[in-house]
Amino acid sequence: MDQLICKDLTSFKTYEGKDLPTGKWLTVSQKMINSFAEATQDFQWIHVDIAKSKKHSPFKKPIAHGFLSVSLLSKMLTDIVTVESVKMGVNYGLNKVRFPHPVPVDSRLRLHGKIEKTEPYGDNGLKITWVCTIEIENVEKPACVAEFVSLMFE
């Protein structure tokens, strides 16, 4: 199963406690890192200076911002879960987040996720707690492990 497709929030809730399909690989390019640096105004050389990173970094090339990994969660979840009746989704926050391993430029990432918990939210919404692990291809430790909370509304 490449994607979980549910008709509505009632059918979506039946997947609580279950693993989601594994996401597709996504490459973190230098252009993506530079765009994130521009958006966040975080231009630390370890992210954007290729020559300096090659010379002084223990990774020998730029690494992505940790928060870039977190920001990919919404996209990665949307790629593996669709609820056809949902009109709008909103990020609610994070309960926990860690960055066990840096993401060198040109790494490939993919999501392993689970629906940890669902709770009613207002008249037509659902609050979802997701357990998310972003894998780096050929690296034992993940890029990011997070308990991510979002809202969906029908």
Side-chain angles (χ1 to χ4, degrees):
M1 174 169 56
D2 287 342
Q3 187 180 43
L4 173 63
I5 300 174
C6 299
K7 180 179 148 194
D8 54 28
L9 290 178
T10 300
S11 61
F12 172 79
K13 289 190 295 187
T14 67
Y15 290 92
E16 185 174 331
K18 298 180 183 174
D19 291 332
L20 299 169
T22 301
K24 294 181 181 172
W25 292 109
L26 179 145
T27 301
V28 177
S29 66
Q30 188 63 53
K31 181 180 177 186
M32 186 185 297
I33 293 169
N34 292 349
S35 294
F36 191 85
E38 184 69 35
T40 61
Q41 296 295 290
D42 180 354
F43 296 103
Q44 185 184 29
W45 66 266
I46 192 71
H47 306 303
V48 297
D49 189 326
I50 296 168
K52 192 171 183 178
S53 293
K54 187 174 184 177
K55 185 174 181 180
H56 297 292
S57 166
F59 312 110
K60 300 302 177 199
K61 56 176 143 178
I63 59 170
H65 305 72
F67 287 115
L68 173 57
S69 299
V70 170
S71 71
L72 291 171
L73 288 175
S74 294
K75 185 247 187 299
M76 291 176 147
L77 283 167
T78 302
D79 286 349
I80 61 174
V81 177
T82 296
V83 183
E84 293 172 338
S85 65
V86 167
K87 293 180 177 74
M88 181 179 75
V90 178
N91 295 335
Y92 192 83
L94 296 155
N95 292 335
K96 302 173 188 174
V97 65
R98 295 289 183 268
F99 308 111
H101 196 280
V103 177
V105 67
D106 298 324
S107 293
R108 290 184 355 135
L109 306 178
R110 69 177 174 182
L111 178 65
H112 298 273
K114 178 180 180 178
I115 301 166
E116 181 72 16
K117 182 167 110 178
T118 63
E119 305 169 69
Y121 190 87
D123 294 335
N124 61 343
L126 192 67
K127 181 168 34 167
I128 305 103
T129 302
W130 314 82
V131 175
C132 301
T133 301
I134 300 177
E135 172 189 6
I136 309 169
E137 188 176 37
N138 299 319
V139 176
E140 187 176 326
K141 289 184 178 180
C144 178
V145 179
E147 192 174 276
F148 176 59
V149 184
S150 68
L151 304 175
M152 289 185 195
F153 297 93
E154 290 183 312

